[in-house]
Amino acid sequence: DSGVTQTPKHLITATGQRVTLRCSPRSGDLSVYWYQQSLDQGLQFLIQYYNGEERAKGNILERFSAQQFPDLHSELNLSSLELGDSALYFCASSVTPGEDVEAFFGQGTRLTVV
Amino acid sequence: GENVEQHPSTLSVQEGDSAVIKCTYSDSASNYFPWYKQELGKGPQLIIDIRSNVGEKKDQRIAVTLNKTAKHFSLHITETQPEDSAVYFCAASGGSYIPTFGRGTSLIVHP
């Protein structure tokens, strides 16, 4: 157990809908990362937060947004969902956003858009 | 930004054989190179990492080598066991502080 908790584990929804994925980082970790893993794809970086502030952005679609709350948990909001958004979404956390700091991953949320 | 290439995409070995996975990176500012193992239904888990001031690091049956000049690094697993079967990801970070991952290698160890 990495200490990073993601909910829900599975989510099935229809095209056009909006969903929220939740992540609780490890105790003491201030930085949260969101990654998308599609079939046969690696881990695509979406966005990073550090202590409530957006730190870095990757190839995150405009339909997607995220935030980190004062208690450090984070939510990833996906709207106007398309079939191609079906993927595993991982949250990871680290103590700081430093370049050589180990990131701990949650077990992921499997999103299926039908 | 950083670009990480990983090969092979699939690696099939017999139990007891060695396995080698290779990665290249593009950003010369990268100086931290972790390797993650992802088992079915789980999130990636760090198994070993190496920093740019070190050329090789070992931890029991796994080792990682780094060639900064050539911008490539490799994961070596010796005496493979069926429980080593998983998807392995390399990553590089440094310039942007965001780990950039390779596309993964599916390692299959046949008993």
Side-chain angles (χ1 to χ4, degrees):
Chain A
D1 183 6
S2 67
V4 178
T5 304
Q6 289 187 249
T7 56
K9 285 189 170 49
H10 302 277
L11 198 49
I12 301 175
T13 190
T15 55
Q17 295 298 304
R18 172 190 165 96
V19 297
T20 298
L21 312 184
R22 183 188 168 99
C23 169
S24 293
R26 287 191 326 152
S27 177
D29 284 0
L30 301 180
S31 189
V32 169
Y33 312 75
W34 285 98
Y35 285 85
Q36 179 192 58
Q37 185 178 39
S38 303
L39 193 64
D40 296 331
Q41 294 288 319
L43 291 154
Q44 302 294 316
F45 170 68
L46 295 178
I47 198 163
Q48 181 201 19
Y49 282 84
Y50 173 60
N51 208 17
E53 300 286 328
E54 182 183 303
R55 171 81 180 213
K57 225 172 193 178
N59 296 325
I60 187 167
L61 299 172
E62 285 192 12
R63 300 183 285 108
F64 296 0
S65 64
Q67 54 183 324
Q68 186 179 28
F69 295 87
D71 66 353
L72 300 176
H73 91 271
S74 178
E75 292 181 356
L76 179 66
N77 300 297
L78 315 175
S79 61
S80 302
L81 284 167
E82 302 174 358
L83 296 177
D85 297 327
S86 296
L88 265 171
Y89 291 85
F90 284 103
C91 168
S93 73
S94 63
V95 174
T96 67
E99 61 199 37
D100 62 350
V101 177
E102 179 179 355
F104 293 85
F105 282 79
Q107 296 210 354
T109 292
R110 181 173 294 280
L111 173 66
T112 304
V113 183
V114 298
Chain B
E2 176 65 276
N3 182 48
V4 177
E5 299 284 338
Q6 182 173 348
H7 299 279
S9 57
T10 305
L11 181 57
S12 185
V13 301
Q14 289 296 129
E15 182 177 359
D17 288 349
S18 294
V20 180
I21 302 170
K22 298 183 179 182
C23 290
T24 61
Y25 62 98
S26 61
D27 188 351
S28 57
S30 290
N31 54 14
Y32 176 60
F33 308 92
W35 285 87
Y36 286 82
K37 176 182 180 182
Q38 185 178 19
E39 296 175 333
L40 201 60
K42 298 186 177 181
Q45 183 178 14
L46 181 77
I47 55 171
I48 195 167
D49 57 17
I50 191 168
R51 289 168 173 77
S52 60
N53 58 345
V54 176
E56 183 176 359
K57 183 176 178 180
K58 284 185 180 180
D59 183 4
Q60 299 182 345
R61 293 186 298 107
I62 61 173
V64 58
T65 59
L66 170 65
N67 183 327
K68 281 220 77 176
T69 304
K71 295 202 193 84
H72 66 71
F73 56 114
S74 301
L75 176 72
H76 304 252
I77 306 175
T78 59
E79 300 172 24
T80 53
Q81 301 167 3
E83 51 265 39
D84 294 330
S85 296
V87 178
Y88 292 80
F89 291 96
C90 63
S93 70
S96 68
Y97 299 96
I98 304 298
T100 300
F101 286 80
R103 290 176 62 134
T105 295
S106 178
L107 174 63
I108 303 163
V109 180
H110 299 280

